[in-house]
Amino acid sequence: MRVERAGLQIASVLVDFVERRALPGTNLDPQAFWSGVADIFARFVPDNRALLSERDALQAQIDAAYKAGRAVDEAFLREIGYLVDEPAPFTIGTANVDDEIARTAGPQLVVPSLNARFLLNAANARWGSLYDALYGTDAIPGAAEPGGYDQVRGGEVIGRARTFLDEVLPGWSQVFGGAEHPQLVGWRDDSPLFRHNGLHIELLVDRAHPIGRDDPHGIADVILEAAITTIVDLEDSVAAVDADDKVLAYSNWLGLLRGDLEETFAKGGRTLTRRLNPDRTYTGLDGAEFTLKGRSLLFVRNVGHLMTTPAVLLPDGSEAPEGILDAILTSLCALHDRGGNSRTGSIYIVKPKMHGPEEAAFTNRLFDAVEDLLGLTRHAIKVGVMDEERRTSANLAACIQAVKDRIVFINTGFLDRTGDEIHTAMQAGPMIPKGEMKTSAWIKAYEDRNVRIGLACGLSGKAQIGKGMWAAPDKMADMLDQKIGHPKSGANTAWVPSPTAATLHAMHYHQVDVFAVQEQLKREAPPALDQLLTVPLAKGRNWTEEEVARELDNNAQGILGYVVRWIDQGIGCSKVPDINDVGLMEDRATLRISSQAIANWLLHGVCTPEQVDAAFRRMAAKVDAQNAGDPLYRPLTEDSIAYQAARALVFEGVAQPNGYTEPLLHKFRAQAKARS
């Protein structure tokens, strides 16, 4: 059912949400609001479509050059406009940025907007128990014995936590004898609070607690400030294909900002209600009370420029660009933030999948228009630029310049960036297997250039420079061993898959002074552009049938395992067992790599369609077995919608715009919803 507003045909559920929940309390007149919305669509839809056409035109020229045997080098890419001139040196002018983004280095969560329980867990992950994180994971070798508290395991946890405290807060225990400590900033009752590298550590003293009772200082836990920021995701980790899905996402975002989001669920035979944590109150060394935020600072990730949504039909009957709708409505919801999220009055929107500076400039103009519609000051809406498309990473300084007065975030990420690398050079030849991509020349240049270009543009102290996700939530020992490389690289945030991982990753930001690292890196030039443009081709390589089958099985299993949940259950991100039964966090970006990798091999004859179909049949049986305990799971038969979607992602992969998976996923998910 649709309702007409200002010439737009809008799903009634969306109109109801806007007029009954989002507009009340904002002093915005509904009629004027809808008129302004219609005006934004009228002004920006033609430009949005033109930018997408430009993407297609550039890709067509690159494809044609590869087919003709031309060198697709820097000179060629400049000739066709794929590369632009480097801007003269500049410094971003972003102002009114919260400290969590500008001046604090720490972990970042990304959480799907459709799941209220996950959202609450993530927002509340600002503080985490180090004892729990160590006790319940493989961060310490072994595991707790079943049947209650394991004293031996508990002793190992306490010992590991003490080692950490000795390392980052030497002499910490002296405060219990009344001595001063340079990092001590306050107390909560008998519990001391320390600040180190911008992050807080609370030693929770509770002598009535079973652990605190036996501790010489009464310490029952070590509480770390953990997920400093969280990205509430409307994009890669969600399956939002219609108005009902979009309204749920907007409603949850509104509830977070209003502070009234709740979720009731059953656990352990009890009914529990989860709410947002309050702020934390301490007494300073001068006797005055102060508060620290109890919740993570929230970004919201809008969708990119590509997709449209049936939630709004334009006057010509076509679907409205989803990214424009997101910009308007996520910002409208943010008017309900009264300092519970941003204390500077800023709205933080992460914008993914932009290709080059023209698209970044389009976003800047769009945000100007949304600010005018909502009565916001200029640049109140801040932007995070996802540096995960080849044309953006190759023109990063120009992209930053296009949003220089509102940018608060750039990042590198292996996933979408690898999918775009494969698709952009699809016609060049067969690519190396995806497992080898992480050691290829372009990825190191990409990671290093991102940080150094960001620093040269003045992001340090004003914005986040981020790194990608740790994908294995059950492998915390490996994370502790490897992910310290992110702060060491100069990144002042990096993605983690869970609140527990955020608590453990927080240890790295005590062990590494990121801002000191950034000062050193400012003196280093970024790697040359030609390194970034080195295509990861498998030149002259011949694979055995066993090698081909192994790579096809690996990719097909990942595709099926993810797609079956997306299509049948609407789960956009989850821990999916891989081919070796290791749980990995999968989203549309991982799907893009796997589908593009097989499509590339098919195109260049490394494998045949028959071999691909054989791999899908083998892996369907494996995925069925891996999901045997899920009562909502539907087996993968060759005529099932999910199976058809998985095949289409591969066999139609070359033709998909920029290799994105969204168009096909949305198509097949809509079919599944209609059937059910």
Side-chain angles (χ1 to χ4, degrees), residues 616-648:
F616 271 126
R617 287 192 293 270
R618 287 193 299 271
M619 292 303 103
K622 182 172 183 63
V623 171
D624 284 348
Q626 289 174 324
N627 288 276
D630 181 356
L632 300 178
Y633 182 78
R634 299 172 187 170
L636 283 161
T637 62
E638 292 189 31
D639 61 349
S640 68
I641 295 176
Y643 193 90
Q644 293 171 27
R647 283 192 81 255

Side-chain angles (χ1 to χ4, degrees), residues 17-28 258 336 338:
F17 167 76
V18 169
E19 296 183 358
R20 293 177 179 269
R21 297 195 59 203
L23 283 175
T26 66
N27 296 319
L28 292 170
R258 287 165 54 105
H336 293 267
R338 298 292 183 262

Side-chain angles (χ1 to χ4, degrees), residues 220-235:
D221 206 344
V222 176
I223 307 298
L224 301 188
E225 195 173 13
I228 303 302
T229 54
T230 288
I231 296 175
V232 176
D233 189 24
L234 278 73
E235 198 240 359

